[in-house]
């Protein structure tokens, strides 16, 4: 195996290991969407009727509708958790060891990104298994066809987390990310309600939802779960992923963290 | 003698504050070189530059002739690093930490395990390989970091105040180990410290850094002259006044 692949394997393995060691993180990652699925969906099932919209070919229950949104939610939170992990690594100094590897810096950051995606995919499959156990009809083939969509969406959200992680000074500032990034991205998307419903109540909110890349990430997952491709959503996610990855790799400056520490020490 | 590390006219500033001012010195292969300076002398900044954590705005740094800015991969491959701040993952075991580091250098698991066993054994740490780092004391953590820094068989070892917070016997043991690496394996070591008693004045080289400038460089005997290293250091850094 080449040194580059060994490095990728090592970084992915370490992130997965860290994730498995942090049982509360594992539980948190699963409990959050399950509460939405079991409690929230039960409450809204009666109130929210979903018309037949692609990729569905018949009427569906609200639980079925929000399933792709909750999968997206898992990846969204994980993307942010990865940026938290980067801040943690920076504060703990272990990021220094990564950066002193002889491999190019862009490649090391790409490995970190892929590692985050791998962890998010683990979480998604655990969630899908539990959702199936709760009686939700998850298409068997869909569990396979959704994989490329998960990789794509995971890369987009991981790159977003990386861009944020490069600019977050300390772990304490992470609460702001939840309020100003995660919640708007999640609620202004098609994760919980079809966009035609949003349009019925507000044209402005509808446009905002359309502009939200997370909406397209959720749609990519939704279509992929039924073995279909949504070209518009896919195109948007690919373009945004490329832009965010470029920004993340370009914007990563370990100097900033060192200088901040120096400034704080003086 | 082969030059392992060549610091050539390096300057660096944090905003308006000059941290390093036209710093030049060399570290010879197979020699233990102490980078001696009081707190705030610029030692950690120099380490951050030499390990490419900071980019070099002025001057150049090369490792066995490989320019760090132009061929970082070649230079970093020959360098083993122990940072002042611990960089082990506390939630992973010693072995997991070392394997992870080996993978960053492209070393596969089987080879990594072989080298890890050898390095940990030399530091009497083999039986601790399976323990979580969180459960280790400061001395054992440092030993694990030194073992880790040697996994990819570097020719140059950079250690930034590696004995901070350790008791005297542990300090002594680490210093002796690194001296043995220089003597027996021809590894060059740059050991940053502000503790003069960590230097063997009969054989080590010394670079005295103060307020970002090199005040003296050479063998400890040459830097000391007729006085003790302690006295020479105090005179050169103004601590005697």
């Amino acid at each position: 195996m080449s040194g580059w692949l060994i490095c990728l394997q090592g970084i992915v393995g370490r992130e997965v290991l860290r994730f498995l060691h942090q049982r509360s993180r594992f539980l948190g990652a699963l409990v959050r969407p399950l509460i939405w699925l079991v409690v929230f969906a039960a409450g809204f099932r009666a109130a929210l009727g979903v018309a037949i919209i692609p990729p569905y070919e018949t009427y569906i229950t609200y639980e079925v509708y929000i399933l792709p949104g909750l999968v997206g939610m898992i990846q969204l939170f994980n993307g942010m958790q990865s940026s938290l992990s980067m801040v943690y690594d920076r504060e703990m100094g272990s990021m220094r060891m990564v950066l002193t590897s002889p491999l190019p810096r862009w490649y090391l950051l790409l490995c970190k990104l892929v590692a985050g995606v791998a962890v998010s995919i683990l979480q998604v499959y655990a969630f899908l298994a539990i959702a199936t156990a709760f009686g939700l009809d998850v298409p068997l083939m869909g569990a396979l066809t959704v994989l490329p969509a998960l990789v794509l969406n995971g890369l987009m959200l991981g790159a977003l987390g990386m861009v944020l992680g490069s600019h977050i000074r300390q772990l304490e500032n992470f609460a702001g990310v939840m309020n100003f990034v995660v919640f708007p991205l999640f609620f202004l998307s098609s994760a919980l309600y079809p966009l035609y419903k949003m349009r019925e109540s507000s044209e402005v909110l509808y446009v905002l939802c359309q502009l939200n890349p997370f909406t397209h990430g959720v749609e990519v997952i939704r279509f992929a779960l039924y073995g279909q491709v949504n070209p518009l959503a896919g195109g948007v996610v690919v373009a945004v992923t490329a832009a965010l990855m470029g920004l993340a790799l370009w914007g990563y400056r370990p100097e900033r963290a060192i200088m901040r520490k120096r400034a704080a020490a003086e | 003698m082969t030059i392992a590390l060549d610091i050539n006219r390096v300057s660096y500033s944090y905003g308006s504050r000059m941290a390093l001012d036209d710093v030049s010195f060399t570290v010879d292969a197979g020699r233990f070189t102490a980078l001696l300076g009081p707190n705030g002398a610029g030692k950690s900044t120099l380490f951050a530059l030499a390990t490419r954590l900071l980019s070099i705005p002025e001057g150049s740094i090369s490792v066995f002739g490989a320019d760090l800015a132009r061929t970082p991969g070649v230079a970093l491959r020959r360098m083993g690093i122990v940072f002042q701040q611990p960089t082990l993952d506390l939630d992973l075991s010693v072995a997991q930490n070392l394997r992870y580091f080996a993978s960053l250098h492209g070393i596969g698991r089987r080879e990594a395990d072989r080298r890890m066993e050898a390095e940990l054994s030399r530091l009497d740490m083999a039986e601790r390989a399976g323990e979580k780092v969180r459960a280790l004391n400061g001395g054992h953590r440092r030993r694990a970091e030194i073992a880790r820094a040697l996994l990819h068989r570097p020719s140059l070892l950079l250690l930034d105040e590696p004995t901070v917070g350790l008791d005297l016997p542990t300090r002594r043991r680490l210093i002796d180990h690194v001296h043995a690496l220089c003597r027996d394996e021809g590894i060059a070591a740059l050991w940053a410290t502000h503790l003069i008693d960590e230097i063997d004045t009969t054989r080590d080289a010394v670079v005295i850094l103060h307020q970002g400038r090199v005040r003296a460089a050479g063998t400890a005997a040459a830097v000391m002259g007729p006085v003790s290293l302690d006295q020479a250091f105090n005179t050169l850094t103004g601590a005697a006044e």
Side-chain angles (χ1 to χ4, degrees):
Chain A
M1 205 191 298
S2 84
W4 293 56
L5 271 179
I6 291 171
C7 178
L8 173 66
Q9 199 181 44
I11 291 179
V12 171
R14 185 245 186 186
E15 285 300 318
V16 170
L17 211 56
R18 266 174 59 84
F19 173 69
L20 295 176
H21 281 193
Q22 296 168 334
R23 282 192 197 120
S24 56
R25 186 179 159 197
F26 197 4
L27 281 175
L30 294 177
V31 164
R32 197 181 301 118
L34 283 171
I35 285 177
W36 282 88
L37 188 67
V38 176
V39 182
F40 185 87
F44 276 75
R45 187 191 306 157
L48 258 171
V50 181
I52 301 174
I53 49 167
Y56 307 109
E57 289 165 351
T58 180
Y59 287 106
I60 49 161
T61 62
Y62 185 60
E63 285 94 331
V64 171
Y65 178 79
I66 65 167
L67 187 76
L70 296 181
V71 167
M73 178 204 212
I74 290 172
Q75 292 201 292
L76 175 63
F77 274 85
N78 187 74
M80 298 308 117
Q81 196 87 35
S82 299
S83 71
L84 182 70
S85 159
M86 263 182 72
V87 178
Y88 167 85
D89 278 358
R90 204 169 58 207
E91 288 197 355
M92 294 307 290
S94 45
M95 198 62 196
R96 290 179 174 218
M97 282 330 294
V98 177
L99 295 174
T100 54
S101 159
L103 293 170
R105 198 163 276 178
W106 66 262
Y107 180 72
L108 297 167
L109 291 174
L110 195 65
C111 289
K112 290 284 279 185
L113 199 55
V114 172
V117 175
V119 169
S120 81
I121 290 174
L122 272 182
Q123 294 172 15
V124 166
Y125 279 110
F127 169 70
L128 289 177
I130 297 171
T132 307
F134 270 100
L136 206 76
D137 186 22
V138 179
L140 196 63
M141 277 308 286
L144 278 180
T145 53
V146 79
L147 186 60
L150 294 178
V151 172
L152 193 59
N153 196 46
L155 283 174
M156 177 177 78
L157 297 170
L160 173 65
M162 205 171 254
V163 171
L164 294 170
S166 302
H167 293 90
I168 297 171
R169 290 172 180 230
Q170 284 175 311
L171 290 176
E172 288 75 19
N173 297 347
F174 202 70
V177 173
M178 296 302 285
N179 290 330
F180 294 105
V181 180
V182 174
F183 292 145
L185 278 179
F186 184 60
F187 290 113
L188 281 172
S189 77
S190 59
L192 298 178
Y193 15 75
L195 291 193
Y196 74 84
K197 289 268 185 195
M198 190 62 104
R199 193 172 209 172
E200 285 167 8
S201 66
S202 163
E203 187 68 26
V204 175
L205 287 179
Y206 170 73
V207 172
L208 287 175
C209 290
Q210 285 282 21
L211 291 173
N212 179 0
F214 183 68
T215 293
H216 299 282
V218 170
E219 291 312 305
V220 166
I221 293 168
R222 191 186 308 282
F223 277 73
L225 265 174
Y226 294 90
Q228 296 179 40
V229 176
N230 181 330
L232 170 69
V236 170
V237 174
V238 168
V240 173
T241 303
L244 285 173
M245 276 171 74
L247 208 59
L249 301 180
W250 172 79
Y252 189 78
R253 297 271 181 278
E255 288 97 328
R256 273 204 291 259
I258 294 172
M259 285 188 165
R260 274 183 212 130
K261 273 197 175 160
R262 289 265 145 197
E266 280 167 10
Chain B
M1 195 172 255
T2 310
I3 293 173
L5 178 68
D6 186 2
I7 309 274
N8 184 26
R9 309 205 65 176
V10 170
S11 297
Y12 195 88
S13 55
Y14 296 101
S16 59
R17 195 182 73 78
M18 198 72 154
L20 293 173
D21 184 8
D22 201 22
V23 169
S24 295
F25 66 89
T26 57
V27 174
D28 292 334
R31 193 187 276 275
F32 184 104
T33 300
L35 179 63
L36 195 58
N39 289 331
K43 301 188 295 292
S44 291
T45 301
L46 189 62
F47 266 75
L49 289 165
T51 52
R52 207 179 58 124
L53 289 176
L54 291 174
S55 26
I56 308 161
E58 242 185 289
S60 66
I61 296 177
S62 53
V63 179
F64 288 95
D67 186 275
L68 188 64
R70 275 181 289 171
T71 51
V74 180
L76 288 168
R77 197 162 281 126
R78 300 199 72 174
M79 202 188 280
I81 304 157
V82 178
F83 287 110
Q84 183 180 0
Q85 189 188 10
T87 53
L88 292 166
D89 194 322
L90 301 178
D91 294 319
L92 300 184
S93 70
V94 173
Q96 286 166 338
N97 267 287
L98 268 61
R99 273 189 211 118
Y100 172 55
F101 175 79
S103 74
L104 295 176
H105 280 262
I107 303 166
R109 181 165 176 153
R110 193 175 298 170
E111 179 62 15
D113 281 356
R114 211 176 52 76
R115 293 188 192 185
M116 179 170 72
E117 204 181 314
E119 292 304 335
L120 288 176
S121 297
R122 284 208 293 184
L123 286 151
D124 289 335
M125 282 281 293
E127 73 285 359
R128 305 265 182 178
E131 284 184 35
K132 273 197 180 176
V133 172
R134 196 178 289 282
L136 301 180
N137 64 30
H140 284 122
R141 288 183 191 184
R142 271 302 186 208
R143 280 196 254 171
E145 287 195 302
I146 291 177
R148 182 180 64 178
L150 294 166
L151 275 186
H152 59 296
R153 302 200 174 128
S155 320
L156 168 68
L157 208 48
L158 300 181
L159 306 105
D160 188 7
E161 306 209 25
T163 55
V164 165
L166 301 183
D167 58 39
L168 201 58
T170 311
R171 271 176 57 199
R172 199 67 263 160
R173 199 189 158 116
L174 285 183
I175 295 163
D176 290 346
H177 183 68
V178 176
H179 271 110
L181 289 171
C182 297
R183 189 179 59 242
D184 305 336
E185 296 178 27
I187 290 176
L190 180 64
W191 177 287
T193 184
H194 60 272
L195 302 168
I196 294 170
D197 64 349
E198 292 186 347
I199 300 162
D200 182 341
T201 52
T202 61
R203 53 185 172 162
D204 293 346
V206 175
V207 177
I208 294 180
L209 194 66
H210 181 53
Q211 292 177 338
R213 305 196 72 156
V214 173
R215 305 291 164 155
T219 60
V223 169
M224 284 157 60
V227 295
S228 70
L229 185 58
D230 220 350
Q231 285 172 302
F233 177 74
N234 286 340
T235 307
L236 288 164
T237 59
E241 289 159 16

